[in-house]
């Protein structure tokens, strides 16, 4: 498949399947789940189920738009068409900002593990090495990114699968040689009930787990560089339900069944390590560290890919420097990758120099971006369905269920979660929303200023990725 955009179809279907699965399992699942369990007890399962449902619905909407028009700009390009240039510009840049900060967070997490193994190299040295290796991978070709991601995501998937099987055997008392005296489904209700801190804790749990789901949308960005974009989007959209059910709900159910939710080791060792240690499995901590490290590297790899492709798409639409939209002979947008890496390095520097001020600001101010992106996807889909039905109804191969009612219900739930975050002072919820809103407001102002300036100049044609005729913007 040839792309007028200069990106090449270098991703195979197996790459795309793994990118879709791996995108859902971020390091946040391994690292962040312990706080959630401590806050909501076994009821954290309901928090995961709630956010999981939200992600499935949002991905269904995104799948509908992306299957009809696969593009490396994904939801930013759809927002551009459905809501206006300001929306595509704002959400594209906010999303880019989110992933650039993630690069620094993940590089630091990976460096901590590596420093524990080889202390001779300082932590910042490891962060540098990790960033350089993944930059090289992304610069070589999109195929090398896909291959890297295929194996990294593969390790994560196999590890979580094995964890669920071993844990389930222990819970039912049939795991040979394991000390599973604490294990059992009774742990779900024995220690102060299923909701030891009351039903309100489910919502607090939602705030803590929502960020570990970011990344589900990577498959729709990558589809633009695959052999059969429409098939790839349809497949990844349809399979997200079982992916979330197995990897998130399945593995967390195993954790809270193997151990009492209030076991102190969950907080000190992390939920998955504590669960494995409780079975007396030798070197459980190191095994888990290795798996977390592959998750971190996979997340970094995908984060860099995602940020650069969003920058590429913004450049293509005239919303970023034109050089971002240039690709080399291998179809790699070098300028977009290097610019994203550069900001990643700056963020890593801030993490070492000013961890409690500048870096904390960066993390908190990008925190609610996931929810903003999902909200924009909801509103884009409401408009986009009408555009697709009018122009090319045969392209509606993936359809949002119960349109438009379920779309409106999803948007309302996202707004409710954002509103609830404003009341949360204990876990930085309020700060995160306010700082993210502030950054979003700045980007929106730039978008409107830019729009009013370009409105006075003669408008260039915006190339459509699929249709030969010019697509009218709504």
């Amino acid at each position: 498949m040839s792309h007028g955009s200069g990106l090449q179809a270098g991703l195979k279907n197996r790459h795309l399947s793994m990118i879709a699965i791996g995108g859902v399992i971020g390091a946040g699942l391994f690292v962040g789940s312990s706080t959630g369990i401590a806050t909501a007890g076994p009821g954290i399962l309901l928090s995961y189920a709630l956010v999981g449902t939200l992600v499935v619905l949002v991905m269904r909407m995104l799948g509908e738009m992306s299957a009809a028009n696969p593009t490396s700009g994904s939801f930013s390009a759809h927002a551009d068409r459905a809501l206006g240039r300001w929306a595509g510009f704002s959400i594209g840049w906010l999303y880019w900002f989110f992933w650039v900060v993630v690069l620094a967070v993940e590089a630091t997490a990976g460096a901590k593990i590596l420093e524990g193994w080889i202390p001779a190299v300082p932590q910042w040295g490891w962060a540098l090495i990790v960033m350089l290796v993944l930059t090289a991978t992304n610069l070589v070709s999109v195929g090398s990114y896909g291959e890297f991601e295929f194996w990294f995501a593969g390790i994560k998937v196999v590890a979580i699968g094995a964890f669920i099987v071993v844990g389930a055997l222990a819970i039912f008392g049939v795991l040979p040689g394991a000390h599973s005296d604490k294990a059992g489904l009774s742990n779900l209700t024995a220690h102060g009930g299923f909701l030891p801190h009351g039903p309100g804790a489910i919502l607090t749990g939602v705030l803590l787990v929502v960020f570990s789901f970011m990344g589900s949308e990577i498959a729709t960005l990558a589809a633009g560089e695959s052999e059969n974009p429409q098939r790839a989007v349809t497949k990844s959209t349809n399979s997200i339900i079982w992916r979330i059910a197995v990897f998130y709900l399945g593995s967390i159910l195993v954790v809270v069944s193997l151990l009492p939710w209030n076991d102190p080791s969950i907080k000190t060792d992390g939920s998955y390590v504590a669960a494995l240690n409780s079975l007396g499995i030798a070197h459980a901590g190191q095994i888990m560290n290795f798996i977390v490290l592959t998750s971190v590297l996979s997340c970094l790899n995908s984060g860099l890919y995602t940020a650069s492709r969003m920058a590429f798409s913004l450049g293509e639409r005239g919303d970023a420097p034109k050089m971002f939209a240039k690709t080399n002979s291998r179809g790699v947008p070098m300028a977009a990758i290097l610019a994203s890496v550069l900001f990643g390095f700056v963020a890593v520097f801030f993490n070492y120099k000013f961890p409690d001020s500048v870096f904390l600001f960066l993390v908190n101010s990008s925190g609610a971006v996931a929810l903003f992106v999902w909200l924009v996807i909801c509103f884009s889909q409401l408009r986009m369905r009408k555009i697709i039905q009018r122009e090319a109804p045969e392209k509606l191969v993936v359809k949002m269920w119960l349109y438009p009612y379920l779309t409106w219900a999803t948007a309302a739930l996202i707004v409710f979660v954002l509103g609830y975050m404003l009341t949360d002072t204990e876990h930085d919820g309020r700060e995160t929303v306010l700082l993210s809103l502030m950054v979003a407001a700045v980007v929106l102002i730039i978008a409107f200023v830019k729009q009013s300036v370009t409105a006075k100049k003669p408008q260039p044609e915006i190339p459509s990725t699929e249709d030969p005729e010019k697509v009218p913007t709504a």
Side-chain angles (χ1 to χ4, degrees), residues 234-317:
T234 310
K235 206 173 151 194
S236 73
T237 308
N238 291 340
S239 64
I240 192 154
I241 300 177
W242 70 259
R243 293 193 324 247
I244 286 176
V246 172
F247 297 127
Y248 277 84
L249 294 173
S251 66
I252 296 291
L253 176 63
V254 166
V255 170
V256 289
S257 303
L258 284 177
L259 280 169
W261 67 272
N262 51 3
D263 192 299
S265 65
I266 290 182
K267 202 106 190 210
T268 51
D269 302 340
S271 38
Y272 289 78
V273 174
L276 286 175
N277 280 337
S278 74
L279 300 177
I281 292 172
H283 310 298
Q286 290 307 329
I287 296 168
M288 211 61 218
N289 268 341
F290 172 71
I291 294 161
V292 172
L293 182 65
T294 53
S295 285
V296 162
L297 294 175
S298 152
C299 195
L300 259 171
N301 194 32
S302 283
L304 183 50
Y305 172 81
T306 311
S308 63
R309 289 326 184 259
M310 188 53 85
F312 170 84
S313 175
L314 287 164
E316 213 180 21
R317 288 175 276 146

